[in-house]
Amino acid sequence: MMRTRPLKVALLGCGVVGSEVARIMTTHADDLAARIGAPVELAGVAVRRPDKVREGIDPALVTTDATALVKRGDLDIVVEVIGGIEPARTLIGTAFEHGASVVSANKALLAQDGAALHAAAEQHGKDLYYEAAVAGAIPLIRPLRESLAGDKVDRVLGIVNGTTNFILDKMDTTGAGYQEALDEATALGYAEADPTADVEGFDAAAKAAILAGIAFHTRVRLDDVHREGMTEVTAADFASAKEMGCTIKLLAICERAGDGASVTARVHPAMIPLSHPLASVRGAYNAVFVESDASGQLMFYGPGAGGAPTASAVLGDLVAVGRNRINGTTGPGESAYAALPVSPMGEVVTRYHISLDVADKPGVLAQVATVFAEHGVSIDTVRQQGKDGEASLVVVTHRASDAALGGTVETLRKLDTVRGVASIMRVEGE
């Protein structure tokens, strides 16, 4: 039987995502009511520019006083889609204090202060849901948090930023340089005017922190995530990748150590074999590959950004939280019981592809091989090409620690026969 008293929802932010949330709440009102068990009423919308025309939203609901809105005391759910750290953090805390559960899409805030937000939600007996914070419309948070709650996740490997995947895909398929591909992404609206958060890996790192925390039942903050951008990836790197039967993706990688005693979280460009499912992810799409003990390998794929896809994830959370409100319960909160340490990047073990500019003369390969051996880094394959006294030497290693590889490269740079290190890239997905 449906409850007649509506669930009152406040919307913080009415940009690309917020406006879509409001639209879907209106156009799908009957379906949402049937699924939740009560009508859903948009009770207020907090914005920065009140004079902007917002189609389908009653101007009487619009306010610039977000604090007053969340303090009303009669709200059931607050949807936060304004992003950033402040005022979002304070507004969410205030919403809990005044009786509302929260649905958020704020990856940066959750990656930095997720533990404190979960603690506040628990203190006040409210829900904190955030499916939209990672990978847009792709159901990912809830499967990790609920569907795989009885399993042991060993690894999460994913493309979680559509802008960077679009750029790298263009470089791969058309031979374009980085700047040319970025310009096209900007023209098509995939990249912001300032793309730093995307191309330098900040966006993906925040998502990696959230995913690692859920997957490994451990608190992982943004500062725990090793981050490298993709601005130095070149057409030559793609050529080398193709020779190995690989392509290049900006990956978020969260792993449990082999002995299960620690975890790592990192974001960086990497070569992956064309046979790996992530290699075929094109354009601005996202995909996340999960490896677990009982379930084996799982793949989650779909649009990772955009107003409608992200709003879909927000509305999914709204339905779940709404049902909890009606039933007087709350959903799963933070699970950090494992409290595993997060290992530094130097301890991460993976394969490497190193391209060196060297003198084209006898004995160079032996010198280079000796340096690798001295640092305990085993070589898998070597390819050398030379012309007019100069040569390129491409070395692919077996699995080695980041620290060992770093020491190897530092020593290589001191050799008279090594003119420079053209590129270093990790090889993942094998």
Side-chain angles (χ1 to χ4, degrees), residues 152-155 215-218 255-264 337-343:
K152 179 172 77 73
V153 176
D154 295 312
R155 194 176 198 221
F216 305 131
H217 305 278
T218 292
E255 291 181 306
R256 189 190 299 268
D259 61 3
S262 64
V263 299
T264 59
Y337 74 90
L340 297 172
V342 182
S343 297

PDB file of all heavy atoms in Angstrom, residues 152-155 215-218 255-264 337-343:
ATOM      1  N   LYS A 152      35.603 -12.002  -1.612  1.00  0.00           N
ATOM      2  CA  LYS A 152      36.843 -11.283  -1.337  1.00  0.00           C
ATOM      3  C   LYS A 152      37.360 -10.704  -2.653  1.00  0.00           C
ATOM      4  O   LYS A 152      37.767 -11.441  -3.549  1.00  0.00           O
ATOM      5  CB  LYS A 152      37.898 -12.203  -0.721  1.00  0.00           C
ATOM      6  CG  LYS A 152      39.237 -11.501  -0.437  1.00  0.00           C
ATOM      7  CD  LYS A 152      40.177 -12.405   0.353  1.00  0.00           C
ATOM      8  CE  LYS A 152      40.806 -13.459  -0.536  1.00  0.00           C
ATOM      9  NZ  LYS A 152      41.835 -12.895  -1.447  1.00  0.00           N
ATOM     10  N   VAL A 153      37.314  -9.404  -2.764  1.00  0.00           N
ATOM     11  CA  VAL A 153      37.794  -8.731  -3.976  1.00  0.00           C
ATOM     12  C   VAL A 153      39.311  -8.595  -3.908  1.00  0.00           C
ATOM     13  O   VAL A 153      39.860  -8.111  -2.912  1.00  0.00           O
ATOM     14  CB  VAL A 153      37.133  -7.343  -4.132  1.00  0.00           C
ATOM     15  CG1 VAL A 153      37.712  -6.605  -5.340  1.00  0.00           C
ATOM     16  CG2 VAL A 153      35.623  -7.490  -4.276  1.00  0.00           C
ATOM     17  N   ASP A 154      39.980  -9.027  -4.958  1.00  0.00           N
ATOM     18  CA  ASP A 154      41.435  -8.954  -5.006  1.00  0.00           C
ATOM     19  C   ASP A 154      41.945  -7.771  -5.818  1.00  0.00           C
ATOM     20  O   ASP A 154      42.998  -7.215  -5.510  1.00  0.00           O
ATOM     21  CB  ASP A 154      42.007 -10.238  -5.602  1.00  0.00           C
ATOM     22  CG  ASP A 154      41.731 -11.450  -4.730  1.00  0.00           C
ATOM     23  OD1 ASP A 154      41.964 -11.361  -3.515  1.00  0.00           O
ATOM     24  OD2 ASP A 154      41.268 -12.482  -5.264  1.00  0.00           O
ATOM     25  N   ARG A 155      41.188  -7.378  -6.842  1.00  0.00           N
ATOM     26  CA  ARG A 155      41.698  -6.324  -7.722  1.00  0.00           C
ATOM     27  C   ARG A 155      40.548  -5.601  -8.409  1.00  0.00           C
ATOM     28  O   ARG A 155      39.554  -6.227  -8.800  1.00  0.00           O
ATOM     29  CB  ARG A 155      42.611  -6.931  -8.782  1.00  0.00           C
ATOM     30  CG  ARG A 155      43.464  -5.926  -9.541  1.00  0.00           C
ATOM     31  CD  ARG A 155      44.391  -6.654 -10.495  1.00  0.00           C
ATOM     32  NE  ARG A 155      45.502  -5.823 -10.928  1.00  0.00           N
ATOM     33  CZ  ARG A 155      45.963  -5.782 -12.175  1.00  0.00           C
ATOM     34  NH1 ARG A 155      45.401  -6.513 -13.115  1.00  0.00           N
ATOM     35  NH2 ARG A 155      46.980  -5.014 -12.484  1.00  0.00           N
ATOM     36  N   ALA A 215      36.053  -1.881  -1.840  1.00  0.00           N
ATOM     37  CA  ALA A 215      36.464  -3.228  -2.245  1.00  0.00           C
ATOM     38  C   ALA A 215      37.219  -3.962  -1.154  1.00  0.00           C
ATOM     39  O   ALA A 215      37.054  -5.174  -0.977  1.00  0.00           O
ATOM     40  CB  ALA A 215      37.315  -3.145  -3.509  1.00  0.00           C
ATOM     41  N   PHE A 216      38.055  -3.216  -0.400  1.00  0.00           N
ATOM     42  CA  PHE A 216      38.943  -3.871   0.561  1.00  0.00           C
ATOM     43  C   PHE A 216      38.562  -3.613   2.015  1.00  0.00           C
ATOM     44  O   PHE A 216      39.318  -3.955   2.922  1.00  0.00           O
ATOM     45  CB  PHE A 216      40.386  -3.414   0.318  1.00  0.00           C
ATOM     46  CG  PHE A 216      40.843  -3.630  -1.106  1.00  0.00           C
ATOM     47  CD1 PHE A 216      41.468  -2.608  -1.804  1.00  0.00           C
ATOM     48  CD2 PHE A 216      40.628  -4.840  -1.742  1.00  0.00           C
ATOM     49  CE1 PHE A 216      41.880  -2.790  -3.120  1.00  0.00           C
ATOM     50  CE2 PHE A 216      41.036  -5.039  -3.061  1.00  0.00           C
ATOM     51  CZ  PHE A 216      41.663  -4.016  -3.744  1.00  0.00           C
ATOM     52  N   HIS A 217      37.384  -2.993   2.239  1.00  0.00           N
ATOM     53  CA  HIS A 217      36.900  -2.735   3.607  1.00  0.00           C
ATOM     54  C   HIS A 217      37.982  -2.030   4.427  1.00  0.00           C
ATOM     55  O   HIS A 217      38.278  -2.397   5.565  1.00  0.00           O
ATOM     56  CB  HIS A 217      36.476  -4.046   4.268  1.00  0.00           C
ATOM     57  CG  HIS A 217      35.457  -4.809   3.472  1.00  0.00           C
ATOM     58  ND1 HIS A 217      34.119  -4.507   3.517  1.00  0.00           N
ATOM     59  CD2 HIS A 217      35.592  -5.828   2.589  1.00  0.00           C
ATOM     60  CE1 HIS A 217      33.462  -5.324   2.709  1.00  0.00           C
ATOM     61  NE2 HIS A 217      34.333  -6.130   2.124  1.00  0.00           N
ATOM     62  N   THR A 218      38.532  -1.007   3.819  1.00  0.00           N
ATOM     63  CA  THR A 218      39.664  -0.271   4.394  1.00  0.00           C
ATOM     64  C   THR A 218      39.521   1.203   4.040  1.00  0.00           C
ATOM     65  O   THR A 218      39.127   1.537   2.929  1.00  0.00           O
ATOM     66  CB  THR A 218      40.991  -0.823   3.817  1.00  0.00           C
ATOM     67  OG1 THR A 218      41.199  -2.139   4.307  1.00  0.00           O
ATOM     68  CG2 THR A 218      42.179   0.045   4.192  1.00  0.00           C
ATOM     69  N   GLU A 255      44.558  -2.818  -5.696  1.00  0.00           N
ATOM     70  CA  GLU A 255      44.964  -4.212  -5.554  1.00  0.00           C
ATOM     71  C   GLU A 255      45.180  -4.597  -4.098  1.00  0.00           C
ATOM     72  O   GLU A 255      45.650  -3.800  -3.295  1.00  0.00           O
ATOM     73  CB  GLU A 255      46.275  -4.470  -6.304  1.00  0.00           C
ATOM     74  CG  GLU A 255      46.178  -4.403  -7.805  1.00  0.00           C
ATOM     75  CD  GLU A 255      47.519  -4.685  -8.464  1.00  0.00           C
ATOM     76  OE1 GLU A 255      48.504  -4.011  -8.111  1.00  0.00           O
ATOM     77  OE2 GLU A 255      47.579  -5.564  -9.332  1.00  0.00           O
ATOM     78  N   ARG A 256      44.866  -5.840  -3.815  1.00  0.00           N
ATOM     79  CA  ARG A 256      45.223  -6.444  -2.544  1.00  0.00           C
ATOM     80  C   ARG A 256      46.567  -7.144  -2.738  1.00  0.00           C
ATOM     81  O   ARG A 256      46.784  -7.821  -3.754  1.00  0.00           O
ATOM     82  CB  ARG A 256      44.152  -7.458  -2.136  1.00  0.00           C
ATOM     83  CG  ARG A 256      44.296  -8.013  -0.732  1.00  0.00           C
ATOM     84  CD  ARG A 256      43.324  -9.173  -0.535  1.00  0.00           C
ATOM     85  NE  ARG A 256      41.939  -8.747  -0.704  1.00  0.00           N
ATOM     86  CZ  ARG A 256      41.153  -8.327   0.288  1.00  0.00           C
ATOM     87  NH1 ARG A 256      41.639  -8.267   1.513  1.00  0.00           N
ATOM     88  NH2 ARG A 256      39.894  -7.982   0.055  1.00  0.00           N
ATOM     89  N   ALA A 257      47.486  -6.979  -1.809  1.00  0.00           N
ATOM     90  CA  ALA A 257      48.789  -7.632  -1.922  1.00  0.00           C
ATOM     91  C   ALA A 257      48.622  -9.139  -1.944  1.00  0.00           C
ATOM     92  O   ALA A 257      47.625  -9.679  -1.463  1.00  0.00           O
ATOM     93  CB  ALA A 257      49.690  -7.221  -0.759  1.00  0.00           C
ATOM     94  N   GLY A 258      49.620  -9.829  -2.511  1.00  0.00           N
ATOM     95  CA  GLY A 258      49.547 -11.277  -2.628  1.00  0.00           C
ATOM     96  C   GLY A 258      49.331 -11.979  -1.302  1.00  0.00           C
ATOM     97  O   GLY A 258      48.632 -12.997  -1.229  1.00  0.00           O
ATOM     98  N   ASP A 259      49.920 -11.443  -0.232  1.00  0.00           N
ATOM     99  CA  ASP A 259      49.752 -12.061   1.083  1.00  0.00           C
ATOM    100  C   ASP A 259      48.512 -11.553   1.814  1.00  0.00           C
ATOM    101  O   ASP A 259      48.220 -11.974   2.944  1.00  0.00           O
ATOM    102  CB  ASP A 259      50.997 -11.831   1.940  1.00  0.00           C
ATOM    103  CG  ASP A 259      51.284 -10.351   2.192  1.00  0.00           C
ATOM    104  OD1 ASP A 259      50.486  -9.490   1.755  1.00  0.00           O
ATOM    105  OD2 ASP A 259      52.322 -10.049   2.815  1.00  0.00           O
ATOM    106  N   GLY A 260      47.781 -10.635   1.160  1.00  0.00           N
ATOM    107  CA  GLY A 260      46.552 -10.120   1.749  1.00  0.00           C
ATOM    108  C   GLY A 260      46.735  -9.153   2.884  1.00  0.00           C
ATOM    109  O   GLY A 260      45.756  -8.716   3.503  1.00  0.00           O
ATOM    110  N   ALA A 261      47.990  -8.749   3.161  1.00  0.00           N
ATOM    111  CA  ALA A 261      48.265  -7.941   4.348  1.00  0.00           C
ATOM    112  C   ALA A 261      48.210  -6.440   4.083  1.00  0.00           C
ATOM    113  O   ALA A 261      48.299  -5.647   5.027  1.00  0.00           O
ATOM    114  CB  ALA A 261      49.633  -8.308   4.915  1.00  0.00           C
ATOM    115  N   SER A 262      48.102  -6.016   2.841  1.00  0.00           N
ATOM    116  CA  SER A 262      48.069  -4.589   2.515  1.00  0.00           C
ATOM    117  C   SER A 262      47.366  -4.393   1.178  1.00  0.00           C
ATOM    118  O   SER A 262      47.063  -5.363   0.468  1.00  0.00           O
ATOM    119  CB  SER A 262      49.495  -4.014   2.449  1.00  0.00           C
ATOM    120  OG  SER A 262      50.223  -4.616   1.378  1.00  0.00           O
ATOM    121  N   VAL A 263      47.111  -3.141   0.863  1.00  0.00           N
ATOM    122  CA  VAL A 263      46.484  -2.803  -0.417  1.00  0.00           C
ATOM    123  C   VAL A 263      47.243  -1.643  -1.052  1.00  0.00           C
ATOM    124  O   VAL A 263      48.010  -0.937  -0.379  1.00  0.00           O
ATOM    125  CB  VAL A 263      45.002  -2.421  -0.250  1.00  0.00           C
ATOM    126  CG1 VAL A 263      44.214  -3.573   0.328  1.00  0.00           C
ATOM    127  CG2 VAL A 263      44.850  -1.172   0.616  1.00  0.00           C
ATOM    128  N   THR A 264      47.018  -1.458  -2.350  1.00  0.00           N
ATOM    129  CA  THR A 264      47.574  -0.307  -3.053  1.00  0.00           C
ATOM    130  C   THR A 264      46.484   0.304  -3.930  1.00  0.00           C
ATOM    131  O   THR A 264      45.548  -0.388  -4.348  1.00  0.00           O
ATOM    132  CB  THR A 264      48.764  -0.690  -3.957  1.00  0.00           C
ATOM    133  OG1 THR A 264      48.334  -1.658  -4.927  1.00  0.00           O
ATOM    134  CG2 THR A 264      49.904  -1.258  -3.141  1.00  0.00           C
ATOM    135  N   TYR A 337      36.338  -2.485   8.489  1.00  0.00           N
ATOM    136  CA  TYR A 337      36.812  -3.361   9.555  1.00  0.00           C
ATOM    137  C   TYR A 337      38.200  -3.941   9.280  1.00  0.00           C
ATOM    138  O   TYR A 337      38.964  -4.208  10.205  1.00  0.00           O
ATOM    139  CB  TYR A 337      35.820  -4.508   9.765  1.00  0.00           C
ATOM    140  CG  TYR A 337      35.867  -5.545   8.670  1.00  0.00           C
ATOM    141  CD1 TYR A 337      36.718  -6.650   8.749  1.00  0.00           C
ATOM    142  CD2 TYR A 337      35.082  -5.408   7.530  1.00  0.00           C
ATOM    143  CE1 TYR A 337      36.773  -7.587   7.737  1.00  0.00           C
ATOM    144  CE2 TYR A 337      35.134  -6.338   6.508  1.00  0.00           C
ATOM    145  CZ  TYR A 337      35.986  -7.422   6.613  1.00  0.00           C
ATOM    146  OH  TYR A 337      36.051  -8.342   5.596  1.00  0.00           O
ATOM    147  N   ALA A 338      38.540  -4.147   7.978  1.00  0.00           N
ATOM    148  CA  ALA A 338      39.819  -4.783   7.655  1.00  0.00           C
ATOM    149  C   ALA A 338      41.002  -3.899   8.031  1.00  0.00           C
ATOM    150  O   ALA A 338      42.052  -4.397   8.448  1.00  0.00           O
ATOM    151  CB  ALA A 338      39.878  -5.133   6.171  1.00  0.00           C
ATOM    152  N   ALA A 339      40.828  -2.580   7.862  1.00  0.00           N
ATOM    153  CA  ALA A 339      41.852  -1.599   8.260  1.00  0.00           C
ATOM    154  C   ALA A 339      43.247  -1.989   7.763  1.00  0.00           C
ATOM    155  O   ALA A 339      44.226  -1.908   8.501  1.00  0.00           O
ATOM    156  CB  ALA A 339      41.861  -1.414   9.776  1.00  0.00           C
ATOM    157  N   LEU A 340      43.326  -2.382   6.495  1.00  0.00           N
ATOM    158  CA  LEU A 340      44.615  -2.784   5.930  1.00  0.00           C
ATOM    159  C   LEU A 340      45.477  -1.565   5.636  1.00  0.00           C
ATOM    160  O   LEU A 340      44.963  -0.518   5.233  1.00  0.00           O
ATOM    161  CB  LEU A 340      44.395  -3.574   4.633  1.00  0.00           C
ATOM    162  CG  LEU A 340      43.636  -4.896   4.776  1.00  0.00           C
ATOM    163  CD1 LEU A 340      43.309  -5.461   3.397  1.00  0.00           C
ATOM    164  CD2 LEU A 340      44.453  -5.888   5.589  1.00  0.00           C
ATOM    165  N   PRO A 341      46.786  -1.674   5.829  1.00  0.00           N
ATOM    166  CA  PRO A 341      47.658  -0.548   5.471  1.00  0.00           C
ATOM    167  C   PRO A 341      47.704  -0.371   3.957  1.00  0.00           C
ATOM    168  O   PRO A 341      47.581  -1.346   3.206  1.00  0.00           O
ATOM    169  CB  PRO A 341      49.020  -0.970   6.028  1.00  0.00           C
ATOM    170  CG  PRO A 341      48.968  -2.460   6.088  1.00  0.00           C
ATOM    171  CD  PRO A 341      47.536  -2.813   6.393  1.00  0.00           C
ATOM    172  N   VAL A 342      47.891   0.869   3.532  1.00  0.00           N
ATOM    173  CA  VAL A 342      48.038   1.170   2.109  1.00  0.00           C
ATOM    174  C   VAL A 342      49.526   1.284   1.803  1.00  0.00           C
ATOM    175  O   VAL A 342      50.205   2.168   2.321  1.00  0.00           O
ATOM    176  CB  VAL A 342      47.308   2.471   1.729  1.00  0.00           C
ATOM    177  CG1 VAL A 342      47.437   2.727   0.230  1.00  0.00           C
ATOM    178  CG2 VAL A 342      45.837   2.393   2.131  1.00  0.00           C
ATOM    179  N   SER A 343      50.034   0.379   0.988  1.00  0.00           N
ATOM    180  CA  SER A 343      51.465   0.342   0.696  1.00  0.00           C
ATOM    181  C   SER A 343      51.860   1.478  -0.235  1.00  0.00           C
ATOM    182  O   SER A 343      51.074   1.891  -1.096  1.00  0.00           O
ATOM    183  CB  SER A 343      51.845  -0.985   0.038  1.00  0.00           C
ATOM    184  OG  SER A 343      51.612  -2.059   0.914  1.00  0.00           O
TER     185      SER A 343
END
